[in-house]
Amino acid sequence: MTFAQTYAGWKADPEAFWLRAAEDIDWVEKPIHALNDSRAPLYEWFTDATVNTCWNAVDRHVAAGRGKQPAIIHDSPVTGTKHVITYAELRDRVARLAGALRAKGITKGDRVIIYMPMVPEALEAMLACARLGAIHSVVFGGFAAAELAVRIDDCTPKAIIAASCGIEPSRVVHYKPLLDGAIEMADHKPDFCVIFQREQEVARLVPGRDVAWHEFQYGVDPADCVPVEGSHPAYILYTSGTTGAPKGVVRPTGGHLVALNWTMRAIYNCGHGDVFWAASDVGWVVGHSYICYAPLIAGCTTVVYEGKPVGTPDAAAFWRVIAEHNVRSFFTAPTALRAIKRDDPEGALVGRHPMPNLQALFLAGERADPDTILWAQRHLNVPVIDHWWQTETGYAIAANPIGIEQLPVKIGSPSVAMPGYDVQVLDEGGHPVAPGTLGAIAIKLPLPPGTLPTLWNAEDRFRKSYLAHFPGYYETGDAGFVDADGYLYIMARTDDVINVAGHRLSTGAMEEVLAGHRDVAECAVIGVADDLKGQSPLGLLCLNKGSTRDHADVVKECVALVRDKIGPVADFKRALVVDRLPKTRSGKILRATMVKIADRQPWKMPATIDDPAILDEIATALRSIGLAKV
Ligand code: COA
Ligand code: AMP
């Protein structure tokens, strides 16, 4: 079947399409219906079925006789270790951990926060929660204690599973003091914490609250898989929105299983026994979907890589991992390739490790710039597939489905909408625009299985953030256009979200932190273009009237404050003190115009500007740090 036929088949009968895809999942009670639209415009999938995610990701492969196949390969250049876990070992490890959690009172529906680096134990913790029907929420290690505290208060976990430390090439990240600080700050307190003590740092345990990973599991009865409803939340993953408070994206169990399993063949062309590697982090959606769940649901071997694209030890690290573990499909962010290209512009290191099994390179997380794609095409000699998705969807909205049919690649486009997604480009009034015309990208409701049905404890915010602006559609927050062949082009965000090194960050959250500095009267954070990281945050600070503080000191304190409150991942390293910020007459800060000036893009004087002279002052300030036209 061609891709066009597959897409048309879905469009003609979505219910039949997803019920067919559901046949590849082991259900406890099979679904009779796929879509539940009884609460439209809120939709759910597979609500009449029961299932367990861990069974589908682990046990069923052992039951089918593939227990000796590697499930996880941990490759950790930062600790100098490599380690393989088979499906049978993974089942035993996960069942034991789940048994220990159950013995401490964790049951279906309880929340468990996981705060761990790229170690197999992070996946085991996720799967152990899934085994019990507990809802995990993984928090990325690059966030500060305050961000962890916000998540603790929002999802009120009964337990937190953490590692003693993470390892960045330049330093050991002390997770435990961050965890202790976060619990101290949060109003909600977990009943207990399980600490995975790593060799690189043994953390101090709080008596009565903390238990060590191994001791915790000693002598417990392993737990079986607990069936849950198809709409039961598998996990909550917080992501940046327009305001400082992160959004708790809910992932429903049944749709997650069906859709991820479908993507593994259709998009990534992988199945039983193939090695699949997503070089991301379990703290991001890519890590949830394509380091942990999808490759395991599909019976592949997943690579858990604890290292960087460059410097661990060099720009050949990715090629070494692909060659050594015989990776078939590889997924990373454009920023990682840019880092490699910067260190190895001629691709001299690529040939050092023959990669005969590699069939394609997949890119997502941010716009893939043509230079990077061309470099990868030239040196890797495999299709380079850009695909577009979001934490909210959990898998690709637009892609090039090489497992069905490889479509022509158009550089600069993540290709076409996948089955499940009716993507439209709309004008401000919500009307579809002609091909080639820029507009807001929206998806006709209902969204397909596995996408967010709501935000955790925040249905109103879900409606307001995604459904209110264009009735009948889900608003993606991205702007772009579609060409005459139906290829999408994702050009920018329509909100305050910026994308730094493939990490989704909220400028609003950074502004909230900066506004808390005692000398800052007003501020704006903008994302300016960055050759390596795509975008980089820049703060513009107006100090309190009469302030005599040294500007350099205030900037230094502000940089430290954002690192302390949001974390190193914000990568907030630059700020400028300015006298005034440009605003519309109604008082809205003209951030987009400042971005254009900083990036040397053509820009128009906004008709509603209050005082045009302020933009000259801003341009002068930007020039002082090498931005804007000279
Ligand atoms: N725990 C703690 N700190 C972390 C962290 C983690 N898991 N991950 C990153 N950080 C820290 C970094 O050490 C750095 O700290 P520093 O300011 O002290 O140097 C800071 O957060 C910013 O990190 P990053 O933006 O990632 O920059 P980098 O210079 O360390 O690395 C790249 C640059 C391009 C190599 C790296 O960003 C990369 O590999 N990106 C790919 C991202 C990705 O896979 N995204 C997932 C979406 S698909
Ligand atoms: P996240 O939720 O962290 O996955 O970030 C999602 C956002 O990243 C999207 O809304 C886009 O703005 C951006 N993004 C992801 N993939 C792509 C892509 N292939 N091309 C352009 N932007 C992308």
Side-chain angles (χ1 to χ4, degrees), residues 291-302:
I291 295 173
C292 183
Y293 289 113
L296 297 178
I297 293 164
C300 299
T301 300
T302 184

Side-chain angles (χ1 to χ4, degrees), residues 153-181:
D153 277 334
D154 197 69
C155 75
T156 57
K158 213 178 219 181
I160 300 183
I161 306 179
S164 55
C165 68
I167 296 146
E168 283 292 286
S170 57
R171 65 184 190 283
V172 170
V173 184
H174 311 291
Y175 276 41
K176 188 56 175 37
L178 289 170
L179 173 65
D180 292 343

Side-chain angles (χ1 to χ4, degrees), residues 237 239-240 249 284-286 334 363-368 385-394 397-398 412-414 474 476-479 489-495 497-499 502-505:
L237 178 57
T239 190
S240 300
V249 167
W284 306 117
V285 68
V286 176
L363 297 175
E366 59 180 319
R367 188 173 157 71
I385 309 282
D386 180 15
H387 58 332
W388 167 59
W389 49 300
Q390 312 186 307
T391 303
E392 287 84 344
T393 63
I397 307 166
S413 166
Y474 162 86
T476 65
D478 283 316
Y489 291 78
I490 312 299
M491 306 308 291
R493 290 285 304 189
T494 56
D495 56 13
V497 166
I498 58 170
N499 208 312
H503 305 142
R504 175 165 159 182
L505 299 166

Side-chain angles (χ1 to χ4, degrees), residues 71 88 111 134 174 194 202 204 224 269 300 302 316 322 386 429-430 502 538 557 589 598 611:
R111 273 82 58 212
H174 311 291
V194 184
V202 175
R204 194 184 61 83
D224 285 333
N269 199 28
C300 299
T302 184
I322 293 170
D386 180 15
L538 170 71
E557 288 161 16
I589 297 174
D611 180 355

Side-chain angles (χ1 to χ4, degrees), residues 301-323:
T301 300
T302 184
V303 179
V304 173
Y305 175 70
E306 193 179 19
K308 299 274 172 180
V310 292
T312 58
D314 57 25
F318 277 9
W319 323 133
R320 197 260 312 152
V321 173
I322 293 170

Side-chain angles (χ1 to χ4, degrees), residues 528-529 531 538 574 576 597-600 618-630:
V528 298
D531 284 347
L538 170 71
R574 284 187 297 180
L576 287 169
I597 294 174
D599 291 350
R600 303 181 185 124
I618 295 289
T620 306
L622 291 169
R623 278 194 287 274
S624 73
I625 54 166
L627 299 170
K629 270 195 193 133
V630 183

